[in-house]
Amino acid sequence: MKNIKTIPSADGYHMPAEYACHKGCILIWPQRPGSWKKNPEAAEKAFCAVMQAIAESEAVYLACGKAALPRAKAFADEYNRQFQREISEKKHFPVVVFEAETDDAWARDIGPTFVVKDDTVRGISWTFNAWGGEEDGLYAPWQKDDVFAAAFAKREGYVCYDASPFVLEGGSIHSDGEGTVMVTESCLLSRGRNPQLSKAEIEEKLQQFLEAEKVLWLPRGIYNDETNEHVDNVCAFIRPGEVVLAWTDREDDPQYPLSLACLRYLESQTDARGRRIKVHKLPIPDVPVCVTKEDLEGYAFEDGEDTREEGERLAASYVNFYFSNGAVVMPAFGGENIKSDQRAAEIMEKLCPERKVITVDARDILTGGGNIHCITQQIPFGKAEQGE
């Protein structure tokens, strides 16, 4: 299938909500030593737990570089064998492995953003520059990541819109599927993305590519989020007109003023359909999750790669969850935050009674720089177009 330079909204396509029905989910096997450590077994275990939770209700498309391909295939083969009967009865879904070289494993940010029209699905390939390029990018080079979206679309037969040179990551946008898109000013207006464009011009791009009738510009995200504070770590739609917002009641916590600014903004807004935004608070872990000496000893950073420090606070948030067809797959951090984990799961159970809440020990994803939503990218239900 070809890449095209037309405008999705002009062609009648829009970005659906994540809680709409999926065909499947894209993940990438963790390999980069500066994210997943010299021995990536702990990260692999966490990724596999996420994939098993997702595959209960939708297919998993797992990309992997050649060096780790045997490990990825071994996991997939064992999973597919174990659930062979359930997969044949569509009570579970398969894990499909394919070879693809990437610079890291952030499928949300480097995978296609999918848009839909009736029952037809197309992809969008944005320009990816490692969250800031030469200004404040987190690693270099990033060219393998930059071409992944178009390559995946071609592999699966999707027409793909070429949005270059506009820089955007999947984690920086959130849609309600009805014309409202959420972003953060701290990310989309950062100097490393599209400094040549004004806020109004960036909003116009979102309207053109996502059919965003209204853009909600949250002022900030999660404290110390190295993506310039992606929206997917601080706020998410759970249904039209309703969001969960990362929150803390502790006024001495550096997250407090950031979340408070978001709350005040959201409570003053309506969505594209004129509904007042209903905000549900989803507290962050009670105890900050920080880089330990053991963590630090495990990393192997390359030249030009952002490094970490012992005691550095990580951007831990329960909002960084994934809506699968049947579940909310959400992070847990364990240790001193067991009660926080339980509280977050109970809140989501009440807010999403139609879905099973599955918690995954995700600290070893967080130490890589993101969490469950960051390593996943949903493929909406629908068909790829036939033809070229």
Side-chain angles (χ1 to χ4, degrees):
M1 301 301 286
K2 62 182 179 180
N3 288 357
I4 56 177
K5 272 288 190 179
T6 57
I7 302 299
S9 61
D11 294 339
Y13 284 81
H14 73 279
M15 183 181 178
E18 186 172 326
Y19 43 76
C21 188
H22 302 169
K23 174 186 176 182
C25 179
I26 308 168
L27 288 97
I28 303 169
W29 192 261
Q31 291 182 257
R32 189 180 184 93
S35 297
W36 314 111
K37 305 178 183 176
K38 291 168 284 189
N39 181 353
E41 288 185 9
E44 291 174 353
K45 181 179 179 182
F47 271 61
C48 289
V50 171
M51 287 187 276
Q52 289 181 40
I54 293 171
E56 288 187 14
S57 59
E58 64 190 65
V60 170
Y61 296 79
L62 176 60
C64 184
K66 185 175 182 179
L69 202 57
R71 295 174 67 82
K73 285 185 173 179
F75 158 72
D77 289 347
E78 173 58 25
Y79 175 85
N80 293 334
R81 182 201 61 78
Q82 181 179 354
F83 293 100
Q84 183 177 5
R85 171 181 281 185
E86 289 87 346
I87 291 171
S88 67
E89 297 174 351
K90 294 190 177 180
K91 295 178 180 178
H92 277 70
F93 292 79
V95 177
V96 180
V97 180
F98 62 98
E99 184 176 346
E101 298 296 338
T102 60
D103 297 297
D104 208 343
W106 306 108
R108 175 66 48 178
D109 291 345
I110 71 171
T113 296
F114 290 98
V115 289
V116 300
K117 177 184 177 182
D118 300 325
D119 63 345
T120 303
V121 180
R122 291 180 174 180
I124 300 174
S125 175
W126 314 100
T127 291
F128 177 79
N129 69 354
W131 310 278
E134 295 181 2
E135 177 70 31
D136 57 358
L138 300 181
Y139 55 71
W142 54 75
Q143 283 72 26
K144 294 175 184 176
D145 282 351
D146 188 35
V147 300
F148 177 77
F152 181 85
K154 182 178 180 180
R155 179 185 186 277
E156 296 298 319
Y158 292 101
V159 168
C160 190
Y161 291 100
D162 180 1
S164 63
F166 188 66
V167 177
L168 194 77
E169 307 94 38
S172 68
I173 50 177
H174 222 293
S175 172
D176 72 347
E178 297 187 0
T180 310
V181 171
M182 280 195 303
V183 301
T184 62
E185 292 183 340
S186 52
C187 178
L188 266 66
L189 301 184
S190 65
R191 291 181 297 177
R193 301 298 199 292
N194 301 287
Q196 75 283 7
L197 300 180
S198 67
K199 181 178 179 180
E201 289 170 328
I202 292 172
E203 183 163 321
E204 183 180 9
K205 289 287 186 182
L206 300 177
Q207 292 168 343
Q208 291 175 341
F209 280 89
L210 307 177
E211 203 174 48
E213 299 171 35
K214 183 166 186 178
V215 179
L216 298 177
W217 289 87
L218 278 65
R220 297 295 300 271
I222 291 292
Y223 172 74
N224 230 21
D225 185 335
E226 57 197 6
T227 65
N228 300 112
E229 302 172 12
H230 272 180
V231 72
D232 72 343
N233 211 22
V234 71
C235 195
F237 285 107
I238 58 170
R239 59 184 60 89
E242 293 188 45
V243 301
V244 287
L245 174 69
W247 184 258
T248 179
D249 288 320
R250 299 184 179 186
E251 297 185 15
D252 60 344
D253 191 300
Q255 182 57 41
Y256 181 79
L258 310 188
S259 292
L260 182 60
C262 291
L263 178 65
R264 288 174 173 169
Y265 172 79
L266 287 166
E267 289 182 337
S268 71
Q269 295 296 310
T270 57
D271 66 11
R273 297 291 179 264
R275 292 172 291 229
R276 304 291 297 185
I277 305 296
K278 185 174 183 179
V279 181
H280 303 280
K281 296 175 180 177
L282 188 58
I284 61 175
D286 289 334
V287 181
V289 182
C290 301
V291 176
T292 66
K293 181 180 180 181
E294 183 181 15
D295 290 328
L296 198 60
E297 291 172 348
Y299 295 113
F301 300 109
E302 298 178 2
D303 291 342
E305 186 171 7
D306 193 51
T307 60
R308 302 201 181 284
E309 298 178 359
E310 183 179 351
E312 175 184 341
R313 177 165 167 170
L314 297 167
S317 165
Y318 296 106
V319 173
N320 208 299
F321 59 78
Y322 178 78
F323 275 125
S324 69
N325 282 340
V328 181
V329 184
M330 62 186 301
F333 303 104
E336 297 175 293
N337 284 306
I338 290 177
K339 289 185 178 179
S340 303
D341 296 343
Q342 293 173 339
R343 176 183 62 205
E346 289 170 0
I347 290 172
M348 290 306 295
E349 285 171 352
K350 291 177 182 178
L351 292 176
C352 302
E354 73 283 5
R355 281 183 163 87
K356 177 181 179 182
V357 172
I358 303 175
T359 58
V360 173
D361 184 350
R363 188 184 184 281
D364 289 301
I365 303 175
L366 178 64
T367 54
N371 222 297
I372 291 172
H373 196 258
C374 304
I375 65 169
T376 54
Q377 176 62 277
Q378 69 274 3
I379 307 170
F381 182 78
K383 62 185 180 182
E385 293 168 299
Q386 302 301 309
E388 296 184 55

